[in-house]
Coordinates of all heavy atoms in Angstrom, one line a residue:
M1 N 115.7 305.3 166.4 CA 114.4 304.7 166.5 C 113.4 305.9 167.0 O 113.8 306.6 167.9 CB 114.4 303.6 167.4 CG 113.5 303.7 168.7 SD 113.6 302.4 169.8 CE 115.0 302.8 170.8
R2 N 112.3 306.0 166.2 CA 111.3 306.9 166.7 C 110.1 306.7 166.0 O 110.0 306.1 165.0 CB 111.8 308.5 166.5 CG 111.9 308.8 165.1 CD 112.5 310.2 164.9 NE 112.5 310.4 163.5 CZ 112.3 311.5 162.9 NH1 111.9 312.6 163.6 NH2 112.1 311.6 161.6
A3 N 109.0 307.1 166.7 CA 107.6 307.0 166.0 C 107.0 308.4 166.1 O 107.1 309.0 167.2 CB 106.9 305.9 166.7
E4 N 106.5 308.9 165.0 CA 105.9 310.2 165.1 C 104.4 310.0 164.9 O 103.9 309.1 164.1 CB 106.5 311.0 163.9 CG 108.0 311.2 164.0 CD 108.5 312.0 162.8 OE1 107.7 312.3 161.9 OE2 109.7 312.2 162.8
P5 N 103.6 310.8 165.5 CA 102.2 310.8 165.2 C 101.9 311.0 163.7 O 102.6 311.8 163.0 CB 101.6 312.0 166.0 CG 102.6 312.2 167.0 CD 104.0 312.0 166.4
A6 N 101.1 310.2 163.2 CA 100.7 310.2 161.8 C 99.9 311.5 161.6 O 99.2 312.0 162.5 CB 99.9 309.1 161.3
E7 N 99.7 312.0 160.3 CA 98.9 313.2 160.1 C 97.5 312.9 160.5 O 96.9 313.7 161.0 CB 98.9 313.5 158.6 CG 100.3 314.0 158.2 CD 100.3 314.4 156.7 OE1 99.2 314.6 156.0 OE2 101.4 314.5 156.2
E8 N 97.0 311.7 160.2 CA 95.6 311.3 160.6 C 95.6 310.3 161.7 O 96.0 309.3 161.4 CB 95.0 310.9 159.3 CG 93.5 310.6 159.4 CD 92.9 310.1 158.0 OE1 93.1 310.8 157.1 OE2 92.4 309.1 158.1
E9 N 95.0 310.7 162.8 CA 95.0 309.7 163.9 C 93.9 308.6 163.5 O 92.9 309.0 163.2 CB 94.6 310.4 165.2 CG 95.8 311.2 165.7 CD 97.0 310.5 166.1 OE1 96.8 309.4 166.6 OE2 98.1 311.0 165.9
R10 N 94.2 307.4 163.7 CA 93.3 306.4 163.4 C 92.9 305.5 164.6 O 91.9 304.8 164.5 CB 93.8 305.4 162.4 CG 93.9 306.1 161.0 CD 94.4 305.2 159.9 NE 94.5 305.9 158.7 CZ 95.4 306.7 158.2 NH1 96.5 307.0 159.0 NH2 95.4 307.3 157.0
G11 N 93.7 305.5 165.7 CA 93.3 304.8 166.9 C 93.3 303.3 166.5 O 94.0 302.9 165.6
G12 N 92.6 302.5 167.4 CA 92.5 301.2 167.0 C 93.1 300.2 167.9 O 94.1 299.5 167.6
G13 N 92.5 299.9 169.1 CA 92.8 298.8 169.8 C 94.3 298.6 170.3 O 94.8 297.5 170.2
M14 N 94.9 299.6 170.8 CA 96.2 299.5 171.2 C 96.3 298.6 172.4 O 95.4 298.5 173.3 CB 96.8 300.9 171.6 CG 97.0 301.7 170.5 SD 98.0 303.2 171.0 CE 98.1 304.0 169.5
G15 N 97.5 297.9 172.5 CA 97.6 297.0 173.7 C 98.0 297.9 174.9 O 97.9 299.0 174.9
Q16 N 98.4 297.1 175.9 CA 98.8 297.8 177.2 C 99.8 298.8 176.9 O 100.9 298.4 176.2 CB 99.3 296.7 178.2 CG 99.4 297.2 179.6 CD 99.7 296.1 180.5 OE1 100.0 295.0 180.1 NE2 99.5 296.4 181.7
G17 N 99.7 300.0 177.5 CA 100.8 301.0 177.3 C 100.6 301.7 176.0 O 101.5 302.4 175.6
G18 N 99.6 301.5 175.2 CA 99.4 302.2 173.9 C 100.3 301.6 172.8 O 100.5 302.3 171.8
T19 N 100.7 300.4 172.9 CA 101.5 299.8 171.8 C 100.9 298.4 171.6 O 100.2 297.8 172.3 CB 103.0 299.6 172.2 OG1 103.0 298.8 173.5 CG2 103.6 300.9 172.6
P20 N 101.2 298.0 170.3 CA 100.6 296.6 169.9 C 101.4 295.6 170.7 O 102.6 295.5 170.8 CB 100.9 296.5 168.5 CG 102.0 297.5 168.1 CD 101.8 298.6 169.2
G21 N 100.6 294.6 171.3 CA 101.2 293.5 172.0 C 101.4 292.4 171.1 O 101.0 292.4 169.9
R22 N 101.9 291.2 171.6 CA 102.2 290.1 170.8 C 100.9 289.5 170.0 O 101.0 289.2 168.9 CB 102.7 289.0 171.7 CG 103.3 287.8 170.9 CD 104.0 286.8 171.8 NE 104.8 285.9 171.1 CZ 104.3 285.0 170.2 NH1 103.0 284.9 169.9 NH2 105.1 284.2 169.5
D23 N 99.8 289.5 170.8 CA 98.6 289.0 170.2 C 98.1 289.9 169.1 O 97.5 289.4 168.0 CB 97.4 288.9 171.2 CG 97.7 287.7 172.3 OD1 98.5 286.9 172.0 OD2 97.1 287.8 173.3
D24 N 98.3 291.2 169.3 CA 97.9 292.2 168.2 C 98.8 291.9 167.0 O 98.2 292.0 165.9 CB 98.1 293.7 168.7 CG 97.3 294.1 169.8 OD1 96.1 293.6 169.9 OD2 97.8 294.6 170.8
I25 N 100.0 291.7 167.1 CA 100.9 291.5 166.0 C 100.5 290.1 165.3 O 100.5 290.0 164.0 CB 102.3 291.5 166.5 CG1 102.9 292.8 166.9 CG2 103.3 290.9 165.5 CD1 104.1 293.0 167.6
V26 N 100.2 289.2 166.0 CA 99.8 287.8 165.5 C 98.5 288.1 164.6 O 98.5 287.7 163.5 CB 99.7 286.8 166.6 CG1 98.9 285.6 165.9 CG2 101.0 286.4 167.1
A27 N 97.6 288.8 165.1 CA 96.4 289.1 164.4 C 96.6 289.9 163.2 O 96.0 289.6 162.1 CB 95.4 289.9 165.3
I28 N 97.5 290.8 163.2 CA 97.8 291.6 162.0 C 98.4 290.7 160.9 O 98.1 290.7 159.8 CB 98.7 292.8 162.3 CG1 97.9 293.9 163.2 CG2 99.3 293.4 161.0 CD1 98.8 294.9 163.7
L29 N 99.4 289.8 161.4 CA 100.0 289.0 160.4 C 99.0 287.9 159.8 O 99.2 287.5 158.7 CB 101.3 288.3 161.1 CG 102.5 289.2 161.4 CD1 103.4 288.4 162.3 CD2 103.0 289.7 160.1
A30 N 98.2 287.5 160.6 CA 97.1 286.6 160.1 C 96.3 287.1 159.0 O 95.9 286.5 158.1 CB 96.3 286.2 161.4
G31 N 96.1 288.5 159.2 CA 95.2 289.2 158.2 C 95.9 289.3 156.8 O 95.2 289.7 155.8
L32 N 97.2 289.1 156.8 CA 97.9 289.3 155.4 C 97.4 288.3 154.5 O 97.1 288.7 153.3 CB 99.3 289.1 155.7 CG 100.2 289.1 154.5 CD1 100.1 290.4 153.7 CD2 101.8 288.9 154.8
D33 N 97.2 287.1 154.8 CA 96.7 286.0 153.9 C 95.5 285.3 154.5 O 95.3 284.2 153.9 CB 97.9 285.2 153.5 CG 98.5 284.5 154.7 OD1 98.0 284.5 155.8 OD2 99.5 283.8 154.5
G34 N 94.8 285.8 155.5 CA 93.6 285.2 155.8 C 93.7 283.9 156.6 O 92.8 283.2 156.8
R35 N 94.9 283.6 157.1 CA 95.0 282.5 158.0 C 94.6 282.8 159.4 O 94.4 283.9 159.9 CB 96.5 282.0 158.0 CG 97.5 283.0 158.5 CD 99.0 282.5 158.3 NE 99.7 283.8 158.2 CZ 101.0 283.8 158.0 NH1 101.7 282.7 158.0 NH2 101.7 285.0 158.0
S36 N 94.5 281.7 160.2 CA 94.1 281.8 161.6 C 95.4 282.3 162.4 O 96.5 282.1 162.0 CB 93.5 280.6 162.2 OG 94.5 279.7 162.5
A37 N 95.1 282.9 163.6 CA 96.2 283.3 164.4 C 97.1 282.2 164.8 O 98.2 282.3 165.0 CB 95.6 284.0 165.6
D38 N 96.4 281.0 165.0 CA 97.1 279.8 165.4 C 98.0 279.3 164.3 O 99.0 278.6 164.6 CB 96.2 278.6 165.7 CG 95.3 278.8 167.0 OD1 95.8 279.7 167.8 OD2 94.2 278.3 167.1
D39 N 97.9 279.7 163.1 CA 98.7 279.3 162.0 C 99.9 280.3 161.7 O 100.6 280.0 160.7 CB 97.9 279.1 160.7 CG 97.0 277.9 160.8 OD1 97.3 276.9 161.5 OD2 95.9 277.9 160.2
V40 N 100.0 281.3 162.4 CA 101.1 282.3 162.2 C 102.2 281.8 163.0 O 102.4 281.7 164.2 CB 100.7 283.7 162.8 CG1 101.8 284.7 162.8 CG2 99.5 284.3 162.0
P41 N 103.3 281.5 162.2 CA 104.6 281.1 162.8 C 105.3 282.3 163.7 O 105.0 283.4 163.3 CB 105.5 280.5 161.7 CG 105.0 281.4 160.5 CD 103.5 281.7 160.8
E42 N 106.2 281.9 164.4 CA 107.0 282.8 165.2 C 107.9 283.6 164.2 O 108.1 284.8 164.4 CB 107.9 282.1 166.2 CG 108.8 282.9 167.0 CD 108.0 284.0 168.0 OE1 106.7 283.8 168.3 OE2 108.7 285.0 168.5
R43 N 108.5 283.0 163.2 CA 109.4 283.6 162.3 C 108.6 284.6 161.3 O 107.6 284.2 160.8 CB 110.1 282.6 161.5 CG 111.1 283.2 160.6 CD 112.5 282.7 161.0 NE 113.6 283.2 160.1 CZ 114.5 284.1 160.6 NH1 114.5 284.4 161.9 NH2 115.4 284.5 159.9
I44 N 109.2 285.8 161.1 CA 108.5 286.8 160.2 C 109.3 286.9 159.0 O 110.5 287.2 159.1 CB 108.3 288.1 160.9 CG1 107.4 288.0 162.2 CG2 107.8 289.2 159.9 CD1 107.3 289.3 163.0
E45 N 108.7 286.8 157.9 CA 109.5 286.9 156.5 C 109.4 288.5 156.2 O 108.7 289.2 156.8 CB 108.7 286.1 155.5 CG 108.7 284.6 155.8 CD 110.0 283.9 155.7 OE1 110.9 284.4 155.1 OE2 110.1 283.0 156.5
S46 N 110.3 288.8 155.2 CA 110.4 290.2 154.9 C 109.1 290.8 154.4 O 108.9 292.0 154.8 CB 111.5 290.4 153.8 OG 111.3 289.7 152.6
M47 N 108.3 290.1 153.6 CA 107.1 290.7 153.1 C 106.1 291.0 154.2 O 105.4 291.9 154.3 CB 106.4 289.9 152.1 CG 105.2 290.3 151.5 SD 105.5 291.9 150.6 CE 104.2 291.9 149.5
E48 N 106.1 290.0 155.2 CA 105.2 290.0 156.4 C 105.7 291.3 157.2 O 104.9 292.0 157.8 CB 105.4 288.8 157.1 CG 104.7 287.6 156.5 CD 105.0 286.3 157.3 OE1 106.1 286.1 157.8 OE2 104.0 285.5 157.4
L49 N 106.9 291.5 157.3 CA 107.5 292.6 158.2 C 107.0 294.0 157.5 O 106.6 294.8 158.2 CB 109.0 292.5 158.3 CG 109.6 293.6 159.1 CD1 109.1 293.6 160.4 CD2 111.2 293.4 159.0
A50 N 107.1 294.1 156.2 CA 106.6 295.3 155.6 C 105.2 295.5 155.8 O 104.8 296.7 156.1 CB 107.0 295.2 154.0
W51 N 104.3 294.4 155.7 CA 102.9 294.5 156.0 C 102.7 295.0 157.4 O 101.9 295.7 157.6 CB 102.3 293.2 155.6 CG 101.0 293.0 156.1 CD1 100.6 292.3 157.2 CD2 99.7 293.4 155.5 NE1 99.3 292.3 157.5 CE2 98.7 292.9 156.3 CE3 99.4 294.1 154.4 CZ2 97.3 293.2 156.1 CZ3 98.1 294.3 154.0 CH2 97.1 293.9 154.9
L52 N 103.4 294.3 158.3 CA 103.3 294.6 159.8 C 103.5 296.0 160.1 O 102.7 296.7 160.6 CB 104.1 293.7 160.6 CG 104.2 294.0 162.0 CD1 102.9 293.7 162.7 CD2 105.3 293.1 162.7
V53 N 104.7 296.6 159.7 CA 104.9 298.0 159.9 C 103.9 298.9 159.3 O 103.4 299.9 160.0 CB 106.3 298.3 159.5 CG1 106.7 299.8 159.6 CG2 107.4 297.6 160.3
H54 N 103.5 298.6 158.1 CA 102.5 299.4 157.5 C 101.2 299.4 158.3 O 100.5 300.5 158.5 CB 102.2 299.0 156.1 CG 101.1 299.7 155.4 ND1 101.2 301.0 155.0 CD2 99.9 299.3 155.0 CE1 100.0 301.4 154.5 NE2 99.2 300.4 154.5
Q55 N 100.8 298.3 158.6 CA 99.5 298.0 159.4 C 99.5 298.8 160.7 O 98.5 299.4 161.2 CB 99.1 296.6 159.5 CG 98.7 295.9 158.2 CD 97.5 296.6 157.7 OE1 96.4 296.7 158.3 NE2 97.5 297.1 156.4
V56 N 100.7 298.6 161.5 CA 100.8 299.3 162.7 C 100.7 300.8 162.5 O 99.9 301.4 163.3 CB 102.1 298.9 163.3 CG1 102.5 299.7 164.6 CG2 102.1 297.4 163.8
E57 N 101.3 301.3 161.5 CA 101.3 302.7 161.2 C 99.7 303.1 161.1 O 99.2 304.2 161.6 CB 102.1 303.1 160.1 CG 103.5 303.1 160.3 CD 104.4 303.5 159.2 OE1 103.9 303.3 158.0 OE2 105.5 304.0 159.4
Q58 N 99.0 302.4 160.2 CA 97.6 302.7 159.9 C 96.8 302.5 161.1 O 95.9 303.4 161.4 CB 97.1 301.8 158.8 CG 97.9 302.0 157.5 CD 97.6 303.3 156.8 OE1 96.5 303.8 156.7 NE2 98.7 304.1 156.7
R59 N 96.9 301.5 161.9 CA 95.9 301.1 162.9 C 96.2 302.0 164.2 O 95.2 302.4 164.9 CB 96.1 299.6 163.3 CG 95.5 298.7 162.3 CD 95.7 297.4 162.7 NE 95.4 296.5 161.6 CZ 94.9 295.2 161.6 NH1 94.9 294.7 162.9 NH2 94.7 294.5 160.6
Y60 N 97.4 302.3 164.5 CA 97.9 303.0 165.6 C 98.1 304.6 165.5 O 98.3 305.2 166.4 CB 99.0 302.3 166.3 CG 98.6 301.0 166.8 CD1 98.8 299.9 166.0 CD2 98.1 300.8 168.1 CE1 98.4 298.6 166.4 CE2 97.8 299.5 168.5 CZ 97.9 298.4 167.6 OH 97.5 297.2 168.1
G61 N 98.0 305.0 164.2 CA 98.1 306.4 163.9 C 99.5 307.0 164.2 O 99.7 308.1 164.8
V62 N 100.6 306.2 163.9 CA 102.0 306.6 164.2 C 102.7 306.5 162.9 O 102.3 305.6 162.0 CB 102.5 305.9 165.3 CG1 101.9 306.2 166.7 CG2 102.7 304.4 165.1
R63 N 103.9 307.0 162.8 CA 104.9 306.8 161.8 C 106.0 306.1 162.5 O 106.6 306.6 163.4 CB 105.3 308.0 161.0 CG 106.4 307.7 159.9 CD 106.9 308.9 159.2 NE 105.7 309.6 158.7 CZ 105.8 310.7 158.0 NH1 106.9 311.2 157.7 NH2 104.7 311.3 157.5
V64 N 106.3 304.9 162.0 CA 107.3 304.1 162.6 C 108.6 304.2 161.9 O 108.5 303.7 160.7 CB 106.9 302.6 162.8 CG1 108.0 301.8 163.5 CG2 105.7 302.5 163.7
E65 N 109.6 304.8 162.3 CA 110.9 304.9 161.7 C 111.9 304.0 162.4 O 112.1 304.2 163.6 CB 111.4 306.2 161.6 CG 110.5 307.2 160.7 CD 111.1 308.5 160.4 OE1 112.2 308.7 160.6 OE2 110.2 309.3 160.3
L66 N 112.4 303.0 161.7 CA 113.3 302.0 162.4 C 114.7 302.0 161.7 O 114.7 302.3 160.4 CB 112.7 300.6 162.3 CG 111.2 300.5 162.9 CD1 110.7 299.1 162.5 CD2 111.3 300.7 164.3
D67 N 115.7 301.7 162.5 CA 117.0 301.6 161.9 C 117.3 300.1 161.5 O 116.5 299.3 161.8 CB 118.1 302.2 162.8 CG 118.1 301.4 164.1 OD1 118.0 300.3 164.2 OD2 118.6 302.2 165.2
E68 N 118.4 299.9 160.9 CA 118.7 298.5 160.3 C 118.9 297.6 161.4 O 118.3 296.4 161.4 CB 120.1 298.7 159.7 CG 120.5 297.5 158.8 CD 121.7 297.8 157.9 OE1 121.8 298.9 157.3 OE2 122.5 296.9 157.9
D69 N 119.4 298.0 162.6 CA 119.4 297.0 163.8 C 118.1 296.6 164.3 O 117.8 295.4 164.5 CB 120.2 297.7 164.8 CG 120.2 296.8 166.2 OD1 120.8 295.8 166.1 OD2 119.7 297.3 167.3
Q70 N 117.1 297.6 164.4 CA 115.8 297.3 164.7 C 115.0 296.3 163.8 O 114.5 295.4 164.2 CB 115.0 298.6 164.9 CG 115.4 299.4 166.1 CD 114.8 300.8 166.1 OE1 115.0 301.5 165.1 NE2 114.3 301.1 167.3
Y71 N 115.2 296.6 162.5 CA 114.6 295.7 161.5 C 115.2 294.3 161.6 O 114.6 293.2 161.6 CB 114.9 296.2 160.0 CG 113.9 297.2 159.6 CD1 114.2 298.5 159.3 CD2 112.5 296.8 159.4 CE1 113.3 299.4 158.9 CE2 111.6 297.7 158.9 CZ 112.0 298.9 158.7 OH 111.0 299.9 158.3
G72 N 116.5 294.2 162.0 CA 117.2 293.0 162.2 C 116.6 292.2 163.5 O 116.7 290.8 163.4
R73 N 116.1 292.9 164.4 CA 115.5 292.2 165.6 C 114.2 291.9 165.3 O 113.6 291.2 166.2 CB 115.7 293.2 166.7 CG 117.1 293.5 167.2 CD 117.2 294.6 168.2 NE 116.2 294.6 169.2 CZ 115.7 295.8 169.8 NH1 116.2 296.9 169.4 NH2 114.8 295.6 170.6
M74 N 113.5 292.2 164.2 CA 112.1 291.9 164.0 C 111.9 290.7 163.1 O 111.0 290.6 162.4 CB 111.4 293.1 163.4 CG 111.4 294.4 164.2 SD 110.7 295.8 163.5 CE 108.9 295.3 163.5
T75 N 112.7 289.7 163.3 CA 112.6 288.5 162.5 C 111.7 287.5 163.2 O 111.4 286.4 162.6 CB 114.0 287.7 162.3 OG1 114.5 287.5 163.6 CG2 114.9 288.6 161.5
T76 N 111.2 287.7 164.3 CA 110.2 286.9 165.0 C 109.1 287.8 165.6 O 109.2 289.0 165.7 CB 110.9 286.2 166.3 OG1 111.3 287.2 167.2 CG2 112.0 285.3 165.8
V77 N 108.0 287.2 165.9 CA 106.8 287.9 166.4 C 107.2 288.5 167.8 O 106.9 289.8 168.0 CB 105.6 287.0 166.6 CG1 104.4 287.6 167.4 CG2 105.2 286.4 165.3
S78 N 107.9 287.8 168.6 CA 108.3 288.4 169.9 C 109.4 289.5 169.7 O 109.2 290.6 170.4 CB 109.0 287.2 170.7 OG 108.0 286.3 171.1
G79 N 110.2 289.4 168.8 CA 111.2 290.5 168.5 C 110.4 291.7 167.9 O 110.8 292.9 168.4
A80 N 109.5 291.5 167.1 CA 108.7 292.7 166.5 C 107.9 293.4 167.6 O 107.9 294.6 167.6 CB 107.8 292.1 165.5
A81 N 107.3 292.6 168.5 CA 106.6 293.2 169.6 C 107.5 294.1 170.5 O 107.2 295.2 170.8 CB 106.0 292.2 170.5
D82 N 108.8 293.6 170.8 CA 109.7 294.4 171.6 C 110.1 295.7 170.9 O 110.1 296.8 171.5 CB 110.9 293.5 171.9 CG 110.7 292.4 172.9 OD1 109.6 292.4 173.5 OD2 111.6 291.5 172.8
V83 N 110.4 295.6 169.6 CA 110.9 296.7 168.9 C 109.7 297.7 168.7 O 110.0 299.0 168.9 CB 111.5 296.4 167.5 CG1 111.7 297.5 166.6 CG2 112.8 295.5 167.6
L84 N 108.6 297.3 168.3 CA 107.5 298.2 168.2 C 107.1 298.9 169.5 O 106.8 300.0 169.5 CB 106.3 297.5 167.5 CG 106.5 297.1 166.1 CD1 105.4 296.2 165.7 CD2 106.6 298.4 165.2
R85 N 107.2 298.1 170.6 CA 107.0 298.6 171.9 C 107.9 299.9 172.2 O 107.6 300.9 172.6 CB 107.0 297.7 172.9 CG 106.6 298.1 174.4 CD 106.6 297.0 175.4 NE 106.0 295.7 175.0 CZ 106.7 294.6 174.7 NH1 108.0 294.5 174.8 NH2 106.0 293.6 174.3
E86 N 109.1 299.7 171.9 CA 110.3 300.7 172.1 C 110.1 301.8 171.1 O 110.1 303.0 171.6 CB 111.7 300.0 171.8 CG 112.1 299.0 172.8 CD 113.3 298.3 172.2 OE1 113.9 298.6 171.0 OE2 113.7 297.2 172.8
A87 N 109.8 301.6 169.8 CA 109.6 302.7 168.9 C 108.4 303.5 169.2 O 108.4 304.8 169.1 CB 109.5 302.1 167.5
I88 N 107.2 302.8 169.4 CA 106.0 303.6 169.6 C 106.0 304.3 171.0 O 105.4 305.3 171.2 CB 104.8 302.7 169.4 CG1 104.7 302.3 167.9 CG2 103.5 303.4 169.7 CD1 103.7 301.4 167.6
G89 N 106.6 303.7 171.9 CA 106.7 304.2 173.2 C 107.4 305.5 173.4 O 107.4 306.2 174.3
T90 N 108.2 305.9 172.2 CA 109.0 307.1 172.4 C 108.2 308.4 171.9 O 108.8 309.4 172.0 CB 110.2 307.0 171.5 OG1 109.9 306.8 170.1 CG2 111.1 305.8 171.9
T91 N 106.9 308.1 171.6 CA 106.2 309.3 171.1 C 105.8 310.1 172.2 O 105.6 309.8 173.4 CB 105.0 309.0 170.2 OG1 104.2 308.1 171.0 CG2 105.5 308.3 168.9

């Protein structure tokens, strides 16, 4: 697990400790199809996960490289927040 600085720093509302928090993740997922944050379920589907990782890289200016175990832990919003906190926190 590691996150490397992206070539182009974009910044963008990092949560506490410089990583996206649960609310940030819910907001990103809501943006995928224009639903409200209240309509985002806890479970994350594979397409949503790909969107989430891409958006985190773009918004936070990092490259997120995850192993198979980490992807497996990102099936929920809470799991994704934990994994991203670990991955981005290593930069």
Side-chain angles (χ1 to χ4, degrees):
M1 119 183 86
R2 66 184 182 145
E4 300 173 358
E7 289 182 18
E8 184 176 307
E9 291 294 326
R10 290 181 179 83
M14 288 190 181
Q16 190 172 16
T19 60
R22 190 179 195 293
D23 290 344
D24 301 313
I25 291 170
V26 168
I28 291 169
L29 292 171
L32 175 61
D33 58 7
R35 60 189 154 176
S36 74
D38 291 335
D39 291 333
V40 173
E42 179 65 16
R43 184 118 181 112
I44 299 175
E45 301 294 328
S46 61
M47 182 64 154
E48 292 172 320
L49 181 55
W51 166 262
L52 174 62
V53 171
H54 175 72
Q55 288 298 305
V56 166
E57 289 179 334
Q58 296 296 305
R59 293 178 187 204
Y60 294 87
V62 296
R63 180 179 304 183
V64 179
E65 293 185 25
L66 304 169
D67 62 31
E68 200 171 311
D69 177 62
Q70 290 168 308
Y71 276 113
R73 293 172 40 214
M74 294 179 73
T75 58
T76 64
V77 172
S78 296
D82 291 342
V83 170
L84 291 169
R85 188 176 313 111
E86 293 167 8
I88 295 172
T90 63
T91 60

